[in-house]
Amino acid sequence: VSFLEQLRLVPLEELLELTRDADDWAVEQALAVESPDLHDFAALLSPAADARLEEIAERAHRLTVQRFGRTVQLYAPLYVSNECLESCTYCSFARKNPVERRTLTVAEAVAEAGLLTEQGFRHLLIVAGEHPRLVSADYLAQILAALQPQVPSLSLEVQPQRTHVYERWVAAGAEGLVVYQETYDRDVYAAVHPAGKKRNYDWRLATAERAGEAGMKRLGIGALLGLADWRLEAVHLAAHARYLIRRYWKAFVTVSLPRLRPAAFAIDPPHPVADRDFAKLVCAIRLLLPDVGIVLSTRESPGFRDGVLPLGVTQMSAGSRTEPGGYSHPDETEKQFAVEDLRSPAEVSRAIRDRGYDPVWKDWEGVLNG
Amino acid sequence: MELGADAVLVNTAIAIARDPIAMAEGFRLGVAAGRAAYVAGAAAPRTEAAAASSPLTGFLGGDR
């Protein structure tokens, strides 16, 4: 069964109601069971859980340390192109926006990666706008093949593809695929994607499954928090991650919780998510899915990132540039969004150590691929 | 081992090492060291700072 089919069996209305008005007893129950289910998860997001937040956080923290140790994996995004044919209303790369367009040559991408490996990074996330001709499957395969000798772990966050393209990318050195649904709310999805291929909600929703079929070792999903009710996003995201973990049990599944940031020519978040709700969400995901990776990007402020870290975060980006060529030539091209944590990778690494955690730059080596 | 794991399952790292027997010995010593340290019990870290009543969620402030 696909996730789309399984989603039809999830009692969404009932769960959403719980996220709004679960009572103390439901929260008590959620904390008493050894393996919380989606109903418990929903109760942990409710206002009734606020009074127990420290206790919930303590449990999420213990579970994370038990499963992952005191470690945080560091990665950096590598933007190779901002060419895009889509019309997402929240993104500065949308086709109608008058930003300078740039696609790196393979040599330029290698130079950018070189700057990142010099800083210590061994996990890179290749990011590009959705332009099938200028950011083609061939182009990305060439980038992967060129970077693979110097970077042990390469993931992609690019336009959704068919399974056979993912198979090619895996053969060229791709280890992971990241694809955000942006919003799981179908109406909002249609409104913020007024034109373009991306309008197809179901095709995007099944992307992680196609990557899983193709043998990607890391599967990343996420919702852009702020577009729709965060409780609705949370319930869908949790159900989606749980499905992927069960179905692609050989893969490492991660969830990202990016909060929408100000960006040039883009809309303000209609449903902003409060810090406390964000923290609650991180904890609830950890309690529901003890083995899931939780990613925190530089969209969040330094103080907030340091604070959320022990609640369940397992991966962080650092020193991010969100424009193509941004590491070699900062501030020449429009960024995809404003970065809030401007600390250097070395400073982030030090802050992680100060909290008693080990920054992990590398956790894989190609020779281990059986 | 620091967290109290009961066993360590290692295959690939030993199998593909240049000298698997030496690597296996390395892991054996590592596990023994971890266990010894765990059983010995580390000292509680000494701190001059006050203990926060909400050590994990204090950073969120009082905006409940």
Side-chain angles (χ1 to χ4, degrees):
Chain A
V1 231
S2 68
F3 174 58
L4 185 63
E5 287 166 75
Q6 197 179 84
L7 194 55
R8 295 202 183 100
L9 306 174
V10 176
L12 288 169
E13 281 310 312
E14 197 181 311
L15 293 169
L16 279 177
E17 213 176 293
L18 269 174
T19 62
R20 287 189 209 100
D21 40 55
D23 55 15
D24 294 345
W25 185 83
V27 176
E28 183 68 48
Q29 270 298 104
L31 284 169
V33 293
E34 198 176 322
S35 305
D37 61 15
L38 279 176
H39 287 82
D40 300 315
F41 172 80
L44 291 171
L45 301 179
S46 71
D50 282 5
R52 311 279 297 268
L53 187 53
E54 180 66 25
E55 189 184 340
I56 294 168
E58 168 61 31
R59 208 162 138 176
H61 170 66
R62 251 186 294 128
L63 204 48
T64 310
V65 171
Q66 185 195 68
R67 301 297 173 119
F68 294 89
R70 290 178 170 273
T71 62
V72 189
Q73 188 227 92
L74 291 170
Y75 75 97
L78 171 48
Y79 280 69
V80 293
S81 176
N82 60 359
E83 293 282 357
C84 196
L85 294 181
E86 300 300 333
S87 304
C88 316
T89 56
Y90 47 81
C91 180
S92 60
F93 292 171
R95 72 181 294 177
K96 68 168 182 11
N97 294 336
V99 301
E100 198 192 308
R101 304 291 170 167
R102 190 166 175 215
T103 301
L104 302 187
T105 63
V106 173
E108 285 170 332
V110 170
E112 289 275 285
L115 292 173
L116 291 166
T117 53
E118 259 171 45
Q119 297 184 78
F121 290 107
R122 294 295 180 271
H123 284 271
L124 298 188
L125 176 64
I126 298 166
V127 187
E130 305 201 358
H131 195 303
R133 189 171 51 83
L134 294 171
V135 188
S136 66
D138 283 345
Y139 167 76
L140 289 168
Q142 283 170 30
I143 298 254
L144 286 164
L147 295 186
Q148 203 225 355
Q150 51 170 329
V151 187
S153 173
L154 291 166
S155 295
L156 296 140
E157 185 176 353
V158 298
Q159 183 162 43
Q161 303 287 336
R162 292 177 192 282
T163 310
H164 70 89
V165 174
Y166 291 141
E167 284 166 354
R168 243 186 93 195
W169 289 349
V170 167
E175 205 186 52
L177 188 88
V178 174
V179 57
Y180 298 162
Q181 188 63 20
E182 319 295 11
T183 173
Y184 286 90
D185 184 317
R186 280 184 185 271
D187 295 336
V188 175
Y189 188 93
V192 297
H193 303 116
K197 271 195 161 174
K198 197 167 170 179
R199 280 185 67 75
N200 191 337
Y201 179 105
D202 294 349
W203 167 253
R204 194 169 185 89
L205 192 68
T207 302
E209 288 159 65
R210 295 193 297 275
E213 294 299 331
M216 291 275 187
K217 290 197 181 68
R218 300 174 197 252
L219 300 174
I221 57 170
L224 200 44
L225 299 178
L227 292 175
D229 181 358
W230 68 272
R231 296 169 187 85
L232 177 143
E233 308 288 19
V235 169
H236 282 81
L237 192 59
H240 197 177
R242 195 178 60 161
Y243 168 88
L244 292 172
I245 288 170
R246 288 179 180 174
R247 171 120 197 212
Y248 303 102
W249 53 273
K250 288 184 180 174
F252 178 53
V253 175
T254 60
V255 297
S256 298
L257 308 163
R259 286 196 283 189
L260 197 52
R261 297 276 311 145
F265 315 109
I267 57 166
D268 287 331
H271 297 270
V273 182
D275 287 356
R276 183 167 290 268
D277 290 334
F278 186 96
K280 235 165 36 169
L281 179 51
V282 169
C283 295
I285 289 179
R286 174 59 64 224
L287 295 193
L288 178 74
L289 305 168
D291 294 314
V292 82
I294 300 179
V295 185
L296 196 60
S297 80
T298 53
R299 291 164 185 263
E300 302 295 343
S301 70
F304 189 73
R305 291 224 296 173
D306 294 350
V308 173
L309 164 61
L311 305 187
V313 173
T314 59
Q315 270 128 303
M316 276 188 174
S317 49
S320 301
R321 289 274 165 187
T322 67
E323 74 273 26
Y327 297 105
S328 312
H329 308 281
D331 304 318
E332 272 183 15
T333 316
E334 193 63 60
K335 292 159 184 53
Q336 191 191 21
F337 58 85
V339 164
E340 185 80 0
D341 186 345
L342 297 167
R343 293 175 297 183
S344 70
E347 286 168 324
V348 171
S349 167
R350 207 171 312 126
I352 290 170
R353 284 199 186 283
D354 286 348
R355 301 226 45 153
Y357 281 71
D358 277 331
V360 173
W361 299 92
K362 176 177 171 181
D363 65 3
W364 196 253
E365 174 55 54
V367 72
L368 298 174
N369 293 334
Chain B
M1 296 309 294
E2 184 191 336
L3 292 164
D6 293 322
V8 180
L9 188 62
V10 193
N11 182 359
T12 313
I14 291 172
I16 67 176
R18 202 163 4 103
D19 182 348
I21 294 168
M23 184 58 84
E25 177 67 4
F27 271 96
R28 193 181 73 84
L29 292 170
V31 170
R35 177 69 187 166
Y38 176 73
V39 172
R46 214 173 62 186
T47 170
E48 312 264 298
S53 55
S54 301
L56 287 170
T57 56
F59 76 101
L60 293 168
D63 61 338
R64 227 189 76 217

